[in-house]
C-alpha cells in the first residue's frame, strides 16, 4: 500500500469519525447555540457563521436550522448571502472530498451503475445540478458527495449550485426573518409572513420550470426523415394505440409500436440505448411528449419528440404503412 493510499484511508476514517460524532451530538446543535456562537464572535460573526455552515454541510448536520438562523441573525438580505456562501462552500468541500478521497475506490467497485450515473450527469451537465438543487426530494448533504464521484466539472457544479440554491436560500432566510418578527411583535408582521409564504410557494413551482429546461427541443419531421435515410441507428417509437398505428394516418416503416401505457414496463428492454438516439412520435406530439418525460426520468439522454407527429409527416406526402 502506497503512502498516498495510507493517507486516503486515514483521512477517510477521520471524516467518518467526525460525521459520527456530529450526528451523535446533533441535539446540541440548535438555533440558540448557534446564535450564542455567532454573537460571541462580534464583528467576525458572519465569518464564523459561514464557517459553521460549511462544516455542518460536510458533517451531515441539518442545514434548515442554519438557514432559518441566518435570517434571524442577519435579516433577509445579508442572511441570504451568508447562508448561500456557507452552503456553497460546504457543498464544494464535500464534492472535493468525494472526488479526491474516494472516487477511484468507488469507481472500481460500482462498475456499470456509476458509469450510467456519470453518463447521465455528463449529458445534462448544469441542468442536472439545477434540478436536484431545486427539488427538495434529494438530500442536500448526501448529494454533494455523490456528485463528487461523477465526471461533472467542478466549476459547472459550483456555479450551478450557487445559482439554483439562491431561490430556496432566499425563501427560507426570509422565513427565519419573519419568525423573528413574529416573536418580537415588530411592525410589518403580516407583510413579512405573507412574503415568506409567497416565496416558498414560488420555490415549489421552480422544479416544473427546470423540467422544461431539461427537456430537449422537439425534432422536425424533416430532420427525422434525414436521420432515418442516413441509417444513423435511430430507434423510432410510435406511442399511439395499435388501432391508430394501423389506422388512417398509418405509420413510418421503421417505427416500432409501443403504447404510452406499455412504455414504463418496457424500459428495461432499452437499457442499452440510454445514450443513443430515441425518437418518439404519435398523432401530433402530446403523447410523445409524455413518453419523452418518462424516458428522461429513466436516464435516457437523447430522447426527442417529433414535432407535429404523424400529422406533420403525412402533410409532406411521405410514404407510410397502413397495416
Amino acid at each position: 500500500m502506497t503512502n498516498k493510499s495510507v493517507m486516503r484511508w486515514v483521512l477517510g476514517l477521520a471524516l467518518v469519525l467526525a460525521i459520527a460524532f456530529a450526528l451523535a451530538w446533533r441535539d446540541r446543535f440548535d438555533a440558540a447555540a448557534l446564535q450564542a456562537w455567532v454573537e460571541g464572535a462580534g464583528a467576525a460573526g458572519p465569518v464564523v457563521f459561514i464557517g459553521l455552515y460549511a462544516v455542518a454541510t460536510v458533517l451531515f448536520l441539518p442545514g434548515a436550522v442554519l438557514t432559518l438562523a441566518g435570517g434571524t441573525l442577519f435579516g433577509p438580505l445579508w442572511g441570504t448571502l451568508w447562508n448561500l456562501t456557507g452552503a456553497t462552500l460546504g457543498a464544494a468541500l464535500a464534492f472535493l472530498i468525494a472526488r479526491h478521497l474516494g472516487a477511484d475506490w468507488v469507481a472500481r467497485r460500482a462498475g456499470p451503475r456509476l458509469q450510467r450515473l456519470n453518463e447521465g450527469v455528463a449529458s445534462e451537465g448544469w441542468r442536472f445540478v439545477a434540478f436536484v438543487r431545486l427539488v427538495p426530494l434529494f438530500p442536500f448533504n448526501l448529494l454533494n458527495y455523490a456528485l463528487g464521484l461523477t465526471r461533472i466539472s467542478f466549476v459547472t457544479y459550483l456555479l450551478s449550485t450557487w445559482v439554483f440554491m439562491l431561490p430556496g436560500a432566499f425563501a427560507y432566510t426570509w422565513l427565519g426573518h419573519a419568525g423573528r418578527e413574529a416573536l418580537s411583535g415588530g411592525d410589518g408582521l403580516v407583510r413579512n409572513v405573507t412574503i415568506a409564504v409567497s416565496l416558498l410557494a414560488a420555490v415549489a413551482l421552480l422544479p416544473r420550470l427546470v423540467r422544461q429546461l431539461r427537456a430537449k427541443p422537439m425534432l422536425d419531421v424533416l430532420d427525422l426523415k434525414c436521420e432515418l435515410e442516413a441509417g444513423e441507428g435511430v430507434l423510432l417509437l410510435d406511442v399511439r394505440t395499435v388501432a391508430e398505428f394501423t389506422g388512417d394516418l398509418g405509420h413510418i416503416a421503421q417505427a416500432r409500436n409501443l403504447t404510452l401505457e406499455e412504455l414504463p414496463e418496457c424500459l428495461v428492454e432499452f437499457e442499452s440505448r440510454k445514450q443513443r438516439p430515441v425518437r418518439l412520435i404519435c398523432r401530433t406530439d402530446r403523447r410523445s411528449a409524455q413518453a419523452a418525460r418518462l424516458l428522461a426520468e429513466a436516464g435516457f439522454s437523447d430522447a426527442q419528440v417529433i414535432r407535429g407527429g404523424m400529422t406533420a409527416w403525412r402533410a409532406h406526402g411521405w410514404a407510410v404503412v397502413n397495416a
Side-chain angles (χ1 to χ4, degrees):
M1 184 179 291
T2 64
N3 291 335
K4 186 176 180 181
S5 298
V6 172
M7 182 59 68
R8 283 186 173 183
W9 276 102
V10 170
L11 292 175
L13 180 60
L15 177 63
V16 170
L17 291 175
I19 292 172
F21 179 81
L23 293 177
W25 289 79
R26 65 187 299 171
D27 291 341
R28 299 194 178 188
F29 185 73
D30 55 22
L34 183 63
Q35 183 172 350
W37 294 336
V38 173
E39 291 179 346
V47 177
V48 171
F49 179 81
I50 291 171
L52 287 171
Y53 206 132
V55 172
T57 299
V58 172
L59 298 181
F60 287 85
L61 291 173
V65 172
L66 286 152
T67 306
L68 293 172
T72 301
L73 292 168
F74 304 109
L77 298 181
W78 285 112
T80 297
L81 179 60
W82 305 146
N83 278 329
L84 193 58
T85 302
T88 304
L89 179 60
L93 289 173
F95 179 95
L96 292 173
I97 289 170
R99 174 154 294 184
H100 295 290
L101 195 61
D104 294 340
W105 185 88
V106 173
R108 288 194 298 270
R109 287 158 179 78
R113 182 173 299 178
L114 181 61
Q115 179 65 25
R116 288 195 294 271
L117 175 63
N118 268 320
E119 290 170 350
V121 173
S123 66
E124 294 198 59
W126 67 269
R127 292 180 179 84
F128 181 87
V129 180
F131 181 70
V132 296
R133 291 310 186 197
L134 289 171
V135 178
L137 295 176
F138 297 91
F140 172 70
N141 294 332
L142 181 61
L143 188 65
N144 298 327
Y145 285 96
L147 287 171
L149 302 176
T150 69
R151 290 196 300 267
I152 190 171
S153 76
F154 177 67
V155 173
T156 298
Y157 166 82
L158 191 65
L159 292 177
S160 301
T161 291
W162 193 94
V163 170
F164 291 99
M165 284 200 307
L166 177 58
F170 185 58
Y172 284 98
T173 302
W174 196 292
L175 185 62
H177 170 67
R180 184 188 67 179
E181 292 294 305
L183 292 174
S184 63
D187 295 335
L189 171 60
V190 175
R191 175 178 60 86
N192 286 327
V193 171
T194 301
I195 291 175
V197 172
S198 299
L199 288 171
L200 291 174
V203 168
L205 294 175
L206 284 175
R208 181 178 299 177
L209 173 61
V210 177
R211 287 190 183 97
Q212 294 176 353
L213 291 174
R214 292 178 78 196
K216 287 184 172 293
M218 291 187 183
L219 194 70
D220 191 78
V221 288
L222 179 58
D223 295 322
L224 172 65
K225 191 171 188 294
C226 291
E227 285 184 342
L228 295 175
E229 290 177 346
E232 297 180 359
V234 172
L235 172 63
L236 178 60
L237 294 179
D238 192 318
V239 295
R240 294 176 295 166
T241 65
V242 175
E244 290 176 306
F245 187 71
T246 58
D248 295 338
L249 283 177
H251 60 268
I252 301 170
Q254 296 94 323
R256 172 176 171 177
N257 186 213
L258 187 64
T259 68
L260 181 61
E261 293 72 23
E262 295 172 329
L263 183 59
E265 300 176 0
C266 299
L267 290 179
V268 176
E269 179 183 346
F270 305 114
E271 188 74 19
S272 63
R273 299 199 62 95
K274 282 194 170 181
Q275 308 306 318
R276 298 173 65 188
V278 179
R279 305 296 178 247
L280 299 151
I281 196 167
C282 61
R283 186 179 66 83
T284 53
D285 46 47
R286 293 181 62 182
R287 272 179 291 181
S288 48
Q290 296 178 52
R293 284 193 291 271
L294 287 173
L295 291 177
E297 291 169 359
F300 287 78
S301 62
D302 190 14
Q304 285 185 279
V305 175
I306 305 306
R307 183 184 294 106
M310 287 303 302
T311 301
W313 182 276
R314 285 296 299 266
H316 285 277
W318 295 329
V320 297
V321 179
N322 292 99

